Amino acid sequence: MTEVLQIGNRTIQASELIPLLANYQLLPQLLRELIIDEAIAAVECKPEELAQAKQRFYADKQLAQETDIQAWLVQQGLSAEQLDNIIVRKIKLEKYKQATWGAKLESYFFQLKAKLDKVIYSLLRTQDPGLAQELYFRLQAKEQSFAEVAQKYSQGPESQTGGLVGPVEQSSLHPAMVQLLSNCQPGQISPPSRIAEWYVIVRVEKFIPAQLDEPMKARLLNELFEGWMQEQQRQVNIIPSA
């Protein structure tokens, strides 16, 4: 048998690797990496791209001196060549994502924009419909501020912030809450509405439209890539050898 790994007093044989990966539920990760390797095989990485990426990597890790770099490599159990390969692989993967889905980002963004838009709102919720109605009338009459009422009566964590919630993406909210907020103008206090077990009163403070900036592009690019990766993984049946 071929010995491939020594860990303490234990020697791992080549024939044991796949069963071990299966036992530790690591086969899907191995499959993912193999799919990536195949996808980026034809992608090129220029020497200057590697040099720039290495400098960014060292800066992120706060490795300012050559001695720091060598100590970090020893700590990680990597050679300088292996680190280069890791960095090159990341560069190739980002290039592959951009080449494959970059042109689709704008249409994908507008398809999702309503969910990506953010909102800041004030929330008051209670399970008592009568109390909700009374508090709404108080707010309408300006007898108390929304923050004062929320701090005293709201039954969720928003009571700690005077009812203020956000900014949050609308995709993270209950669909009924999204509908309620979309029907409100900023500054308008909604009458009590039933959402699940709660009677809620809301006031929109601000709508924040999503922007297709660089962080958003990176996020959507990764979403498209992950969707593709899941499809690739579904198409492969992993059958470990006995």
Side-chain angles (χ1 to χ4, degrees), residues 114-115 119 121 169-184 195 204 207:
K115 295 181 179 180
V119 61
Y121 64 100
E169 287 186 359
Q170 296 197 51
S171 60
S172 68
L173 300 174
H174 190 288
M177 177 63 78
V178 174
Q179 184 64 40
L180 179 59
L181 292 171
S182 66
N183 290 333
C184 292
I195 298 180
V204 172
F207 287 112

Side-chain angles (χ1 to χ4, degrees), residues 20-37:
L20 282 173
L21 288 171
N23 288 342
Y24 299 141
Q25 298 180 307
L26 293 174
L27 273 179
Q29 183 62 35
L30 174 62
L31 173 61
R32 176 189 176 91
E33 301 305 329
L34 292 173
I35 291 171
I36 290 174
D37 281 344

